[in-house]
Amino acid sequence: MNVETSRPPEPDLGALDTLIAEQAGRLAAAQRADGHWVFELEADATIPAEYILYRHYLAEIDEALERKIAVYLRRIQGAHGGWPLFHGGDFDLSASVKAYFALKAVGDSPAAPHMKRAREAILAHGGAARTNVFTRSLLALWGEVPWRAVPVMPVEIMLLPRWFPFHMGKVSYWSRTVIAPLIVLMALKPRAKNPKGVRILELFTEPPETVRKWHRNPTGEFGGTMLLWVDGILRAVEHRMPKKRRARAIAAAMKFVEERLNAVDGLGGIFPAMVNAVLAMEALGYAQDDPRLVTAKKAVDGLLVVRDDEAYCQPCWSPVWDTGLAALALMEAKNERESPAMEKAADWLLEREIKDVKGDWSWQNPSLPPGGWAFQYRNDHYPDVDDTALVAMALDRMNDPRARAAIQRSEAWIIGMQSKNGGWGAFDIDNDKYYLNNIPFADHGALLDPPTADVSGRCLAMLAQLGYKKSHPAVARAIGYLKKEQEADGSWFGRWGTNYIYGTWSVLTALNAVGEDPQQPYIRKAVAWLRARQRPDGGWGEDGATYWKERRAEVKESTASQTAWAILALMAAGEVEDPAVARGVDYLAKAPREGLRWKEEWYTAVGFPRVFYLRYHGYAAYFPLWALARYRNLKRRNARTVSWGL
């Protein structure tokens, strides 16, 4: 990508002071009374659509609320007639079927222009029979497709031993929390109450009962073909499963669910698992006033964002992540470590440290003491190393002596969570049984939680900030892992943020913190890649489509958050004087803002690449502020070296 190579004018530090002070004041004002920050977390049409269908499934319809959600769904419909996975994205069949179904349930006429356009787009892409497994599971619960449209996942998998090729411990945390209640539903095969009798047969190119080929090999590999045969065998024998064994398996699945219900924060802290838990309890006949069911429903409703004119449902909350990042941005902006605001943030974070629960992560390291943070308000069975590393770095920078013991526990926990290859997955150790991606149920490609460069960079950055040297075995292995993971063009893949800019920022900040010489060829290659990706307007951007290899260079517009990552990455590599950094700072200084946030509609984060994308509303608030403040601070000190892990 060609950009102006002449040196731009130096950004006016006085003007930056004014901008930073304004935005820092707004961010400080957004801190909640108890010390934390939380911003909206928006996904695609599937979550709000599923929320409407969930309420119709239960015959617990809130018409005023669903009308507001319908406004949201109509607003985000794409020009292609369907619904994308992210703002400005391509048509997605499964999201479009769910959105159409939900709008029809609300009362939108199939003859309405927006419904007609959606239906035509869906049929042009093969119709509802070609949707993904999770969508077909929903359609089976509604009686829209036969259960043979869904790959067999016998509930008896709950009874399999650890050594078996498939075990719940071999899949990711999000998979197991979604699967456990879902396989109860697949065993019981309940039917939606559907009080309005809504059907969507018009979305099929042929009657669902006549479709013969529902399942596909998700990877195209021979192993996938073999597992399709296995699926056929299981389907033939499933109805012969011994009743006592099935009852024992259902009991085991519900025991798993109930131990992790997580009060009003919900099973796994994520919408799909929460809804499946409610539906499984309903199918098993839990009384309507059963505290488990009542609380599980409250957890689902707690994800709603309701405004005067529209509403939507979030996939989860992100308060720990938001609080750690907002605190780091404010400390950079105010150029201070200790303040009443940081003291309150530390209080809130320390109260949420997970010290007593050995979650599923302990299956791979039973002797490791707990010590970390989850992403949500509460999710004690599922802390993650990314949030833990972030919080530990924030607490360390706050210089609060009360946090020392918590930081030490997080150090030990993160070292104990390192995988064999030197990297870190988000929630589990060595969760890399890639053969499981061949099972027909795994057509979404997000069954596992293997080590990734961005998460590993954060863990390495934390260890380095806390004083671990390159000679430490965990650090040495991490550096080796990151070197191996570097892409041929010099970038690093971003699993949880979009995409290579995020991954490259995550790694370069860590390499700086650990003392890697920025003149090493592999770091210079990353710097060159970042420079080459700068856009003519001075910003950086990367589209959600870059998760498809053939589209890895795609970009529609520059964004404030991705520009901030690129600037932070270059400065971490010692490039504060690089003209590319000055152009990026100028872009951020001039980019339009809406109060606290820079204007940014694009999705710059990921739940599951190619499947589920996220828009953190906080990213356009704290990342640009952070980048501008760091630039100003380094320039004022005439410094080239960043002192922190992030």
Side-chain angles (χ1 to χ4, degrees), residues 292-315:
R292 296 165 296 183
L293 180 57
V294 170
T295 304
K297 288 181 177 179
K298 284 182 180 177
V300 176
D301 288 342
L303 295 172
L304 291 166
V305 173
V306 182
R307 299 192 177 92
D308 291 340
D309 55 345
E310 70 174 35
Y312 73 95
C313 188
Q314 301 174 108

Side-chain angles (χ1 to χ4, degrees), residues 118-364:
R119 184 169 61 256
E120 289 173 350
I122 288 167
L123 293 172
H125 285 81
R130 295 294 90 197
T131 53
N132 62 28
V133 165
F134 283 124
T135 303
R136 281 181 274 135
S137 298
L138 181 149
L139 296 177
L141 288 167
W142 280 75
E144 294 299 292
V145 300
W147 276 100
R148 60 184 174 80
V150 182
V152 177
M153 284 284 281
V155 70
E156 286 78 8
I157 64 177
M158 295 300 302
L159 306 177
L160 294 172
R162 261 324 147 72
W163 54 262
F164 200 78
F166 183 96
H167 182 269
M168 293 289 265
K170 290 183 168 68
V171 298
S172 65
Y173 119 74
W174 56 84
S175 297
R176 66 181 78 106
T177 55
V178 170
I179 288 171
L182 178 59
I183 56 179
V184 172
L185 294 169
M186 294 168 79
L188 299 176
K189 297 178 173 56
R191 180 69 67 88
K193 293 178 182 177
N194 192 11
K196 295 189 176 182
V198 182
R199 304 294 307 278
I200 53 165
L201 293 176
E202 68 269 24
L203 297 187
F204 292 86
T205 58
E206 66 173 289
E209 59 272 14
T210 68
V211 175
R212 288 289 169 262
K213 189 175 181 181
W214 288 100
H215 309 304
R216 297 177 288 267
N217 178 348
T219 63
E221 297 176 3
F222 178 67
T225 302
M226 289 185 62
L227 287 168
L228 283 174
W229 299 338
V230 172
D231 181 78
I233 295 168
L234 286 172
R235 190 174 307 282
V237 303
E238 189 190 14
H239 68 284
R240 299 179 183 175
M241 296 285 187
K243 291 183 179 179
K244 287 185 178 180
R245 184 172 176 81
R246 172 139 293 192
R248 189 156 58 91
I250 290 173
M254 293 310 295
K255 182 174 184 286
F256 177 93
V257 168
E258 290 174 14
E259 286 176 351
R260 295 161 176 78
L261 275 179
N262 200 28
V264 293
D265 293 293
L267 177 63
I270 53 176
F271 175 88
M274 295 182 197
V275 167
N276 286 349
V278 171
L279 301 189
M281 291 181 200
E282 289 272 348
L284 287 165
Y286 285 47
Q288 288 301 303
D289 61 354
D290 187 307
R292 296 165 296 183
L293 180 57
V294 170
T295 304
K297 288 181 177 179
K298 284 182 180 177
V300 176
D301 288 342
L303 295 172
L304 291 166
V305 173
V306 182
R307 299 192 177 92
D308 291 340
D309 55 345
E310 70 174 35
Y312 73 95
C313 188
Q314 301 174 108
C316 63
W317 287 101
S318 56
V320 173
W321 188 243
D322 284 332
T323 299
L325 291 168
L328 285 167
L330 265 185
M331 284 187 279
E332 192 78 38
K334 291 178 176 290
N335 216 2
E336 61 186 14
R337 300 178 64 179
E338 302 170 35
S339 68
M342 293 304 103
E343 192 171 312
K344 286 171 64 179
D347 286 339
W348 189 86
L349 289 167
L350 289 171
E351 197 274 326
R352 274 155 184 77
E353 185 196 3
I354 301 166
K355 296 181 286 190
D356 303 317
V357 177
K358 280 198 168 187
D360 294 0
W361 55 266
S362 66
W363 293 350
Q364 297 299 321

Side-chain angles (χ1 to χ4, degrees), residues 353-416:
E353 185 196 3
I354 301 166
K355 296 181 286 190
D356 303 317
V357 177
K358 280 198 168 187
D360 294 0
W361 55 266
S362 66
W363 293 350
Q364 297 299 321
N365 193 346
S367 63
L368 180 63
W373 282 266
F375 180 74
Q376 302 89 349
Y377 282 102
R378 295 285 182 191
N379 197 6
D380 285 4
H381 277 82
Y382 302 110
D384 68 278
V385 298
D386 211 357
D387 278 272
T388 298
L390 171 70
V391 171
M393 284 188 280
L395 289 173
D396 175 67
R397 188 164 179 177
M398 290 172 193
N399 201 32
D400 192 326
R402 299 171 303 158
R404 178 45 49 193
I407 293 171
Q408 289 172 345
R409 283 188 290 269
S410 69
E411 291 174 42
W413 187 70
I414 282 187
I415 290 172

Side-chain angles (χ1 to χ4, degrees), residues 529-543:
W529 179 84
L530 281 168
R531 286 174 177 152
R533 295 299 300 161
Q534 189 171 28
R535 291 169 51 77
D537 61 7
W540 279 262
E542 218 170 344
D543 196 71

